[in-house]
Amino acid sequence: MATRCCIAGGGPAGLVLGYLLARSGVPVVVLEKHDDFLRDFRGDTIHPSTLQVLEDVGLLDRFLRLPHQEIGELTADVFGEVVVMADFRHLPAPRPFLVLVPQWDFLDFIADEARKFPHFELRMGARVTRVLEEDGRVAGVEVSQRGDTQEIRAGLVVAADGRHTTVRTSAGLPTTDYGAPIDVLWFHLPRTPEDPSRTGGTMRPGSMLVTLNRDTYWQCAYVIPKGSLEALRARGLPAFRRSVAEISGFLGDVVDRIASWDDVKLLSVQVSRMPRWWRDGLLCIGDAAHAMSPIGGVGINLAIQDAVAAANLLAAPLREGRLLPAHLEAVQRRREWPTRVTQRMQIALQDALLSPLLARTDVPAGVPLPVRLLQRLPLLRRLPARAIGMGVRPERVRLPPAG
Ligand SMILES: Cc1cc2nc3c(=O)[nH]c(=O)nc-3n(C[C@H](O)[C@H](O)[C@H](O)COP(=O)(O)OP(=O)(O)OC[C@H]3O[C@@H](n4cnc5c(N)ncnc54)[C@H](O)[C@@H]3O)c2cc1C
């Protein structure tokens, strides 16, 4: 089988790229190893810059018909002082709020819209096992599907297969790890009508808990020092439940719903980036090119922004059969800087805020200066909102639909 573009991975990056290329008339095959999108929680945030992308392609109103929640501001409870950390309501976007929608609903939505284009093919249950090489360039992939192995030849292979990427490894492209001092434990708990409504973080000496209001339940993220899960487990589940109840102040009646450690999923945090995102015939985007820290919850957004930039730069040369390595290099040039700047900010926050917080044993005399400034100067809250909601150098879709 042969196609113009073969995308490994049907996550946010792969599906949005597949959608945009098919929309502009490029034959594209997306290969997803799972049989459906209904999997473990992997982040439910759709940022204002992604809403702008959906508006650019005329999908925003339809997307907002999916059951979702709209978050206008993020707050933090810093040692008892509640402060608005990010106010999205002033962002220059068609919808200035963060949308929370289950990731599988978002992926199903994009896949359904993409299937309306004749050039789009999505194969579920199709695992890419390696890249095919010819004369030193990547010429396609080997894919295993329901016991069969097949070769797919492609003018371009895109690795959008996430941070444990098979494609990148098979193509021999290295990545650089920048280290992360934290891991995150994810779990959810029922939400009662008496609970507060705010979405945000709670900081206490030695711990941090993020609670995302999902209407009927709380999606919780408990931040721990890197590699400390075993020590936490050794202290026992009751101690963990107690800690969640104490930090939140309102989950005491429901923490028993964490029935076993199986209900608690570890996200081993990684911050990494490829020095070179491409080889002749191959481009890496999204988590495959750069794993992000969960700070700001920007991984999905960056993956989608990569997809938009790649589509803008590659659709015409792919459609016209004149793709050159210089086009792939241009995608890295466009997206590396926003990725680098975002990761620098995440690393700075990890080092300056989270590591000292997790090492603390006492409540400080006053809240930290940046938090005090955010409390006093509402205009300042627009900066974190901009960084989280729009990101660095937000992308717009510059492709007309195929005639
Ligand atoms: C627990 C958790 C919570 C998170 N919370 C947030 C959040 O709140 N906000 C946020 O923005 N980000 C969050 N993230 C990060 C976010 O999930 C990623 O940054 C984002 O999904 C990256 O998109 P992607 O398309 O590059 O990769 P992925 O979403 O990882 O998609 C890769 C796809 O490729 C498929 N695949 C893998 N290998 C193969 C193969 N060999 N062949 C075929 N298919 C393959 C996978 O099944 C997957 O569908 C979270 C991640 C985790 C794990």
Side-chain angles (χ1 to χ4, degrees), residues 8-15 31-34 37 39 41-45 47 103 107 126-129 160-167 186 212 265-267 285-288 290 292 294 296-303:
L15 275 180
L31 305 168
E32 168 53 48
K33 70 178 178 182
H34 288 98
F37 296 120
R39 294 196 292 282
F41 172 78
R42 287 150 69 221
D44 289 349
T45 48
H47 290 225
Q103 197 179 115
L107 296 177
R127 176 189 295 271
V128 174
T129 47
D161 53 345
R163 61 190 187 140
H164 304 296
T165 163
T166 302
V167 176
W186 289 93
L212 304 176
K265 301 274 180 278
L266 170 71
L267 168 64
I285 61 169
D287 273 17
H290 46 76
M292 308 300 291
V298 294
I300 298 169
N301 193 45
L302 252 85

Side-chain angles (χ1 to χ4, degrees), residues 1-225:
M1 185 197 166
T3 183
R4 284 285 161 85
C5 179
C6 177
I7 300 173
L15 275 180
V16 171
L17 178 59
Y19 169 89
L20 290 172
L21 290 179
R23 177 178 175 271
S24 67
V26 179
V28 57
V29 178
V30 179
L31 305 168
E32 168 53 48
K33 70 178 178 182
H34 288 98
D35 290 322
D36 58 37
F37 296 120
L38 194 61
R39 294 196 292 282
D40 276 350
F41 172 78
R42 287 150 69 221
D44 289 349
T45 48
I46 298 295
H47 290 225
S49 50
T50 298
L51 299 179
Q52 175 70 68
V53 168
L54 293 173
E55 168 93 332
D56 287 347
V57 294
L59 292 183
L60 183 57
D61 289 336
R62 231 171 299 162
F63 170 70
L64 289 175
R65 276 182 227 138
L66 295 177
H68 69 277
Q69 284 147 280
E70 296 169 5
I71 308 288
E73 59 180 34
L74 293 177
T75 60
D77 172 338
V78 185
F79 307 118
E81 297 264 355
V82 177
V83 57
V84 176
M85 301 293 280
D87 185 349
F88 300 113
R89 288 168 296 205
H90 306 279
L91 287 179
R95 299 290 200 284
F97 46 72
L98 205 72
V99 168
L100 295 181
V101 71
Q103 197 179 115
W104 46 86
D105 285 350
F106 174 72
L107 296 177
D108 271 331
F109 173 79
I110 299 293
D112 287 346
E113 292 297 331
R115 284 192 191 96
K116 294 178 183 167
F117 300 118
H119 293 298
F120 181 82
E121 184 184 345
L122 171 62
R123 291 201 197 173
M124 301 301 288
R127 176 189 295 271
V128 174
T129 47
R130 67 182 179 94
V131 295
L132 306 172
E133 303 208 22
E134 248 169 43
D135 304 326
R137 75 181 293 277
V138 173
V141 294
E142 183 184 82
V143 55
S144 155
Q145 192 175 15
R146 302 189 215 306
D148 280 346
T149 300
Q150 198 193 4
E151 290 189 352
I152 299 181
R153 311 250 138 205
L156 175 67
V157 171
V158 177
D161 53 345
R163 61 190 187 140
H164 304 296
T165 163
T166 302
V167 176
R168 182 186 74 206
T169 312
S170 161
L173 286 173
T175 188
T176 307
D177 196 341
Y178 295 95
I182 54 164
D183 285 331
V184 179
L185 304 179
W186 289 93
F187 52 93
H188 52 86
L189 289 170
R191 183 166 175 269
T192 63
E194 298 76 43
D195 285 351
S197 61
R198 78 177 184 92
T199 280
T202 304
M203 296 182 197
R204 295 289 179 267
S207 50
M208 176 167 170
L209 179 72
V210 177
T211 41
L212 304 176
N213 176 352
R214 303 309 320 280
D215 201 14
T216 53
Y217 66 95
W218 290 102
Q219 183 68 52
C220 306
Y222 185 99
V223 182
I224 58 172

Side-chain angles (χ1 to χ4, degrees), residues 219-286:
Q219 183 68 52
C220 306
Y222 185 99
V223 182
I224 58 172
K226 181 122 212 116
S228 66
L229 176 60
E230 279 319 305
L232 193 77
R233 287 172 72 125
R235 288 201 289 279
L237 199 56
F240 177 63
R241 291 192 195 116
R242 256 194 321 277
S243 165
V244 172
E246 269 167 31
I247 302 168
S248 67
F250 59 88
L251 293 170
D253 290 341
V254 292
V255 275
D256 284 354
R257 299 290 277 274
I258 308 173
S260 79
W261 286 108
D262 290 343
D263 295 333
V264 180
K265 301 274 180 278
L266 170 71
L267 168 64
S268 178
V269 175
Q270 195 188 332
V271 179
S272 63
R273 194 171 64 243
M274 297 171 74
R276 193 171 141 180
W277 297 21
W278 61 276
R279 261 183 67 181
D280 194 0
L282 171 72
L283 173 70
C284 301
I285 61 169

